[in-house]
Amino acid sequence: MDTLNRNYGKKLMALVAIALVTLALLTKPVLAADSPHWSYGGAANPTQWGKLSNDFTMCELGKDQSPINIKNAIEDSPAKISFDYHPSPLSVVNNGHTIQVNYAQGSTVNINGEKYSLLQFHFHTPSEHEINDRASAMELHLVHRNETGKLAVVGVMLNEGKSNPLIAEIWEQIPDVGTTKTVSDRLINVANLLPNNKAYYSYAGSLTTPPCSEDVSWNIFVEPITVSEEQIETFAKIYQVDARPLQPINSRTVQLHL
């Protein structure tokens, strides 16, 4: 009987060990991906992104990179941007680089007759783009993709001022680094983060994070929205700086749509 108990105990310990290893693999943090580590400071800062991986070479060699200083814009066609945003369950991701909100399918933006689906939105501090040499406290990026895979990002500048109720809700649900928190019974509508005036700047750019892929349609609203000093500080306590430095505009033209 003692021998049977000892054998049973050994098998039980082995099963527990296997279960713990399996659990560790299944709950591996979002940050532990195959992609090389990159950051906004230290040895993996933006000046080094292009050297971290062959997949990141556009960060160093690309000629149409983002963000840029938006200035000397040429007035072009009237604003042709319209939003069909719908409520979505609140799903907040702390991915180690920013606070991101994943959005339910079905919300779209139409830019010059091209329809793109909203995938997610996230935040940067300070703003990545500058407008006429001036940065904002924060910048909101709404990331969209069309049926062919082309990306369109709508940018909203966030200046210090009145508190924003929707951002207050998002901040309340920020999870630990590498995790996601979904509040399925709470619906939000990102339309509440858009300015009233739909005039915007447009230019051809890139992702502002590795792999810095180009052929991204950028559309930055002229009018900012406001967030409170406390809301800015809450984000900065988690990510003090998560903004890529300005990139050369090279031969590109920035258009202004009023």
Side-chain angles (χ1 to χ4, degrees), residues 4 19 29 65 95 127 135 160 169 223:
L4 289 174
Q65 291 289 291
N95 64 18
S127 67
E160 183 179 331
E169 286 192 59
E223 181 180 292

Side-chain angles (χ1 to χ4, degrees), residues 171-184:
W171 276 197
E172 288 177 359
Q173 304 299 334
I174 294 175
D176 293 334
V177 175
T179 63
T180 300
K181 184 173 183 180
T182 300
V183 187
S184 57

